[in-house]
């Protein structure tokens, strides 16, 4: 069993103080010895180790440090203690456990500058990357045999087909909520029949595609960034380049193409499911039978609303896929970057989609599709 | 939970046991249908450096993980310092676990902490009562004891080279002044100069601190330079344990090929003529 380390003070006639240690001078037997020596002892001339049991480097360090600070003499150390004292005494002394904190003012300035540079380089990089994707697309158009249909179709499955369940559920609930909230508000004016207009126009024009885009950014934009980022880390992308395969052609284009084609389909599907959700609520809450609901939908939703949704969707798809792939290709160094870049891909993807959506809203009103 | 167990003076370290430091009996490990170990026995004597070798996929790391409790074996017994570890909770084995240190293959340093802070983590977990300033001092000298330059202590792992990261890993493994050190391929990925330096660091620390070292390696130079005994893993068990000379006397094909293959002969110390 271990005996906790301890010491007693012995005063000689000439005033010299000896600390006589006993027990285990080890990390397990240390307890509050360092504090007791630091706070309770004013003068030390000799450290007596005759009676100690086990000693390890922590104990040796305590003795060594105390001896160094008080210029005390160490007596009674056995061979093992001597060896450990020599080992800990022989090392250099590091300054601190943390790097010096920078001046707060300089740090804030530095952070602001860094954030600005990152924002600008990301924007420039994204535009450049988009350009390289378009260039690759044109070169593929000239050589259609090089298109990797297999990869494109596989992405169709991942981006589109497998998203049907979650997008459908989300849209159904959104349709339900819009109809319910709309009915409550419109009832105050006795105008609850306009719930049909609200559900039909809102989902076809805006929410169907927008919510789908957000969902795809979260599902597929992040996946693109993580996949490409991992391939970048494992040097797969470098290997591709060496073999003569263009990573943009082989990896980025199929993903972008799949997103461009799948997002309008998913968005339209989402709008339809949302209308079904709204119709269900109208039937239950407002006693509008489904047949009436759908014939009203056909009357109040102009075809241009469907066009508005369908025109936006491929652009959103392209933005999400390009952002995801761009962030994935920017991964360098370590695995931590994959996580950071994946987050950036989703955040930037959703942000750009919403910004573009605002532009589209203004544009469509301007051309009279309102 | 750990905190409750670690109330002051609750630390029990029994050093009276002088049998084999590690004793593994009848160990069986499997992943799904694939059996990695079957009826594996191994004893590690106190104060030796034992090298564990074996082809890729023979379960060297799995063996280490079974001993330190990261992998739950299907069957068998694992005793460290004479205490059985299987079927006991983390809290019950804490007095054994604080007596060993582990260096993982990639160093496994916490990337958000500096090197010195990495060393402080196990001390804080296992000895929360230790004075904060003293803990910092301990962390700092441990960093230097591992052969790192003094200015490495406040650096983050990402700022270190591969060899320095391994040394930082050793510093953390030594944080609790263990009696037993597990090293998983410590020289993998190091250049020959760095690998040789790491070998001599291992030997030096082993002699100064009186360590028992369980060393997984592929490095024939390491085996020749510092291992007292070598355990060979093949056919799902430890087929032989002994000095390299003793192993060479056996006529197992894998052992012969391993030590007498072109690389094995190169690594062997040349007789002086």
């Amino acid at each position: 069993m271990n005996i906790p380390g301890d010491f007693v003070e012995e005063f000689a006639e000439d005033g010299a103080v000896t600390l006589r240690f006993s027990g285990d001078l080890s990390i397990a037997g240390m307890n509050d010895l360092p504090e007791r020596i630091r706070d309770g002892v004013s003068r030390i001339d000799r450290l007596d180790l005759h009676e100690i049991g086990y000693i390890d480097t922590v104990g040796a360090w305590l003795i060594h440090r105390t001896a160094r600070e008080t210029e005390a003499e160490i007596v009674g150390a056995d061979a093992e203690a001597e060896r450990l004292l020599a080992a800990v005494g022989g090392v250099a002394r590091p300054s601190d456990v943390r790097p010096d904190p920078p001046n707060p003012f300089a740090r804030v300035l530095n952070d602001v500058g860094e954030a600005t540079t990152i924002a600008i380089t990301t924007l420039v990089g994204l535009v450049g990357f988009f350009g390289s994707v378009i260039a690759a697309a044109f070169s593929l158009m000239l050589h259609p045999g090089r298109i990797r249909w297999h990869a494109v179709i596989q992405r169709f499955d991942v981006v589109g087909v497998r998203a049907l369940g979650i997008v459908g559920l989300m849209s159904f609930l959104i349709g339900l909520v819009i109809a319910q909230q709309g009915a409550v508000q419109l009832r105050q004016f006795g105008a609850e029949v306009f719930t049909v207009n609200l559900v039909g126009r809102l989902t076809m024009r805006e929410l169907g595609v927008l919510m789908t885009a957000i969902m795809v950014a979260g599902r597929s934009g992040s996946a693109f960034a993580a996949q490409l980022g991992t391939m970048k880390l494992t040097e797969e992308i470098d290997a591709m380049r060496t073999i003569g395969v263009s990573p943009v052609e082989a990896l980025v284009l199929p993903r972008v193409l799949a997103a461009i084609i799948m997002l309008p389909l998913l968005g339209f599907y989402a709008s339809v499911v949302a209308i079904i959700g709204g119709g269900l609520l109208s039937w239950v809450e407002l006693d509008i039978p489904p047949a009436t609901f759908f014939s009203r939908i056909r009357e109040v939703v102009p075809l241009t609303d469907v066009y508005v949704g369908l025109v936006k969707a491929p652009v959103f798809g392209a933005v999400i896929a390009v952002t995801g792939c761009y962030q994935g290709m920017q991964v360098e160094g370590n695995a931590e970057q994959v996580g950071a870049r994946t987050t950036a891909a989703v955040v930037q993807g959703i942000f750009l989609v919403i910004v573009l959506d605002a532009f589209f809203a203004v544009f469509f009103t301007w051309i009279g599709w309102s | 939970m750990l905190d409750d167990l670690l109330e002051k003076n609750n630390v029990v370290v029994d050093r009276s046991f002088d049998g084999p430091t590690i004793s593994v009996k009848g160990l069986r490990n499997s992943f799904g249908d694939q059996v990695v170990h079957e009826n594996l026995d191994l004893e590690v004597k106190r104060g030796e450096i034992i090298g564990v070798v074996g082809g890729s996929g023979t379960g060297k790391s799995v063996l280490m993980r079974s001993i330190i409790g990261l992998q739950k074996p299907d069957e068998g017994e694992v005793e460290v310092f004479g205490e059985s570890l299987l079927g006991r909770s983390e809290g019950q084995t804490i007095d054994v676990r604080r007596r060993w240190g582990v260096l993982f293959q990639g160093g496994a340093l916490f990337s958000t902490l500096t090197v010195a802070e990495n060393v402080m983590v196990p001390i804080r977990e296992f000895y929360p009562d230790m004075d904060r300033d003293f803990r910092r001092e301990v962390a700092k000298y441990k960093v230097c004891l591992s052969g790192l330059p003094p200015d490495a202590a406040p650096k983050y792992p990402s700022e270190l080279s591969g060899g320095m990261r391994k040394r930082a890993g050793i510093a953390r493994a030594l944080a609790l002044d263990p009696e037993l050190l597990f090293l998983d391929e410590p020289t993998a990925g190091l250049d020959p100069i760095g690998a040789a330096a790491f070998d001599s660091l291992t030997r030096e620390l082993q002699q100064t601190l009186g360590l028992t070292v369980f060393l997984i390696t592929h490095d024939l130079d390491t085996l020749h330079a510092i291992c007292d005994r070598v355990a060979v893993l093949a056919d799902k068990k430890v087929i032989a344990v002994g000095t390299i000379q003793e192993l060479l006397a056996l006529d197992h094909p894998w052992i012969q090929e391993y030590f007498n293959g072109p690389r094995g002969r190169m690594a062997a110390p040349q007789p002086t003529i």
Side-chain angles (χ1 to χ4, degrees):
Chain A
M1 281 305 129
N2 54 315
I3 307 142
D6 199 3
F7 69 89
V8 288
E9 283 177 85
E10 287 181 351
F11 303 94
E13 279 173 14
D14 58 350
V17 181
T18 303
L19 296 191
R20 188 185 294 279
F21 286 89
S22 62
D24 284 357
L25 287 184
S26 67
I27 188 166
M30 194 59 37
N31 293 338
D32 53 356
L33 272 190
E35 292 113 297
R36 277 175 58 203
I37 292 178
R38 188 186 57 205
D39 303 334
V41 181
S42 49
R43 175 181 168 178
I44 306 170
D45 298 291
R46 200 170 289 125
L47 299 162
D48 188 342
L49 304 182
H50 273 107
E51 292 165 16
I52 61 165
Y54 183 80
I55 183 166
D56 66 8
T57 67
V58 176
W61 172 259
L62 179 72
I63 298 297
H64 167 77
R65 188 202 59 174
T66 312
R68 199 183 65 218
E69 284 172 0
T70 59
E71 290 175 3
E73 177 194 5
I74 302 168
V75 293
D78 60 9
E80 174 145 11
E82 287 286 4
R83 200 181 61 214
L84 291 172
L85 282 169
V88 297
V91 302
R93 257 162 290 284
S95 48
D96 210 355
V97 295
R98 290 196 65 80
D100 296 330
N103 173 347
F105 181 66
R107 203 183 68 201
V108 170
L109 271 187
N110 191 31
D111 287 356
V112 171
E114 207 174 279
T116 314
T117 338
I118 289 175
I120 293 172
T121 48
T122 306
L123 193 68
V124 171
L126 204 55
V127 171
F129 189 73
F130 198 62
S132 74
V133 172
I134 290 174
F138 273 117
S139 104
L140 271 194
M141 273 180 218
L142 297 177
H143 311 278
R146 290 220 310 263
I147 302 179
R148 288 152 203 273
W149 287 115
H150 187 80
V152 177
I153 297 201
Q154 198 197 353
R155 292 297 136 202
F156 281 177
D157 179 47
V158 177
V159 176
V161 180
R162 284 165 199 239
L164 284 177
I166 186 78
V167 169
L169 179 65
M170 175 188 72
S171 308
F172 183 80
L173 293 176
I174 285 175
L176 218 67
V177 170
I178 293 171
Q180 197 260 334
Q181 293 295 317
V184 169
Q185 296 301 318
L186 291 169
R187 187 174 286 146
Q188 298 176 19
F189 314 103
E192 59 258 53
V193 73
F194 286 107
T195 306
V196 183
N197 302 41
L198 187 67
V199 172
R201 297 210 61 181
L202 200 55
T203 52
M204 273 297 174
R205 230 186 134 86
E206 284 293 333
L207 283 185
V209 170
L210 191 63
M211 297 307 285
T212 307
I214 290 173
M215 185 56 89
V216 170
R219 256 186 108 255
S220 302
S222 60
F224 293 170
Q227 287 161 353
L228 266 57
T230 313
M231 292 175 83
K232 192 89 191 290
L233 275 192
T234 54
E235 297 182 310
E236 270 181 76
I237 288 176
D238 292 337
M240 268 186 173
R241 282 212 179 94
T242 327
I243 296 165
V245 180
S246 149
V248 175
E249 257 180 41
L251 300 173
V252 178
L253 262 187
R255 286 174 167 79
V256 174
L257 207 58
I260 289 177
I261 294 171
M262 277 300 138
L263 212 77
L265 299 178
L266 274 178
F268 185 71
Y269 158 80
S271 309
V272 171
V273 176
I275 288 173
I276 293 173
L280 187 76
L281 194 111
S282 305
W283 190 18
V284 174
E285 280 265 314
L286 307 173
D287 290 325
I288 301 174
T292 320
F293 182 85
F294 285 110
S295 68
R296 282 289 298 156
I297 286 277
R298 288 175 62 184
E299 284 162 28
V300 301
V301 180
L303 202 54
T304 49
D305 276 8
V306 182
Y307 294 156
V308 167
L310 291 184
V311 167
K312 288 193 285 191
V315 180
F316 291 173
V319 165
I320 291 166
V322 168
T323 318
C325 293
Y326 170 72
Q327 291 295 346
M329 297 291 263
Q330 296 306 303
V331 168
E332 246 157 48
N334 50 33
E336 217 175 305
Q337 282 252 322
V338 178
R341 292 288 177 180
T342 306
T343 312
V346 177
V347 172
Q348 288 171 8
I350 293 176
F351 173 74
L352 287 176
V353 160
I354 289 173
V355 169
L356 281 176
D357 193 54
F359 278 112
F360 272 121
V362 175
F363 171 74
F364 286 127
T365 313
W366 184 57
I367 64 166
W369 283 6
S370 50
Chain B
M1 184 199 75
L2 211 60
D3 290 347
D4 301 347
L5 286 158
L6 285 171
E7 277 185 352
K8 224 171 181 176
N9 298 329
N10 200 18
V11 180
V12 180
V13 179
D14 185 1
R15 291 194 178 82
S16 58
F17 178 77
D18 58 355
T21 300
I22 302 174
S23 155
V24 179
K25 286 195 193 95
L27 188 76
R28 184 194 146 95
N29 271 306
S30 62
F31 298 100
D33 290 339
Q34 197 199 350
V35 179
V36 182
H37 299 139
E38 180 89 77
N39 207 11
L40 180 148
D41 297 333
L42 178 66
E43 273 194 1
V44 178
K45 294 182 211 159
R46 189 171 179 168
E48 72 174 343
I49 298 185
I50 190 161
V52 177
V53 300
S56 299
T58 48
K60 301 184 292 294
S61 293
V62 177
L63 175 60
M64 183 183 103
R65 292 170 64 88
S66 312
I67 298 171
I68 61 180
L70 293 175
Q71 158 89 24
K72 198 171 168 294
D74 304 340
E75 280 169 33
E77 246 176 74
V78 175
E79 284 182 7
V80 179
F81 303 119
E83 290 204 42
S84 173
L85 295 180
L86 296 186
R88 295 170 71 190
S89 71
E90 284 204 348
Q92 287 169 315
T93 56
I94 193 162
D95 284 322
V96 178
R97 288 190 295 120
R98 71 171 101 225
R99 291 169 70 188
W100 72 48
V102 185
L103 171 68
F104 289 97
Q105 218 179 91
L109 294 166
F110 304 123
S111 53
T112 52
L113 302 178
T114 64
V115 171
E117 285 172 327
N118 261 285
V119 179
M120 284 156 67
V121 171
I123 305 179
R124 195 167 45 218
E125 283 303 313
F126 283 91
Y127 299 99
D129 294 329
M130 186 185 277
D131 177 59
R132 193 161 140 267
D133 291 336
F134 190 67
R135 186 163 63 213
R136 288 182 171 199
E137 282 175 34
V138 169
K140 286 191 279 185
Y141 87 76
K142 292 244 155 114
V143 169
C144 290
L145 206 58
S146 311
L148 285 167
D151 62 353
K155 279 188 180 162
Y156 287 93
S158 55
E159 299 171 89
L160 302 180
S161 70
M164 286 166 86
R165 229 172 289 169
K166 291 264 162 99
R167 283 171 188 263
I170 278 266
R172 193 179 66 185
L174 292 176
L176 301 176
D177 264 86
E179 293 147 70
L180 171 60
L181 191 60
F182 291 92
L183 307 176
D184 191 355
E185 302 211 14
T187 54
L190 299 186
D191 63 76
I193 299 170
F198 201 91
D199 283 348
S200 55
L201 172 74
T202 311
R203 183 43 111 185
E204 228 169 75
L205 289 172
Q206 188 262 342
Q207 281 168 351
T208 323
L209 311 179
L211 299 168
T212 308
V213 181
F214 181 98
L215 175 100
I216 296 175
T217 190
H218 269 308
D219 192 331
L220 286 151
D221 293 310
T222 306
L223 291 179
H224 284 289
I226 61 171
C227 290
D228 298 313
R229 290 197 306 159
V230 175
V232 182
L233 240 73
D235 310 326
K236 297 172 189 167
K237 54 183 75 171
V238 176
I239 53 168
V241 191
T243 62
I244 294 175
Q245 294 311 317
E246 286 164 10
L247 292 178
L248 280 170
L250 304 171
D251 63 346
H252 189 280
W254 193 86
I255 298 177
Q256 285 300 327
E257 201 173 340
Y258 190 82
F259 290 105
N260 276 333
R263 285 174 166 237
R265 280 203 309 277
M266 296 282 267
Q270 301 300 317
T272 42
I273 304 163

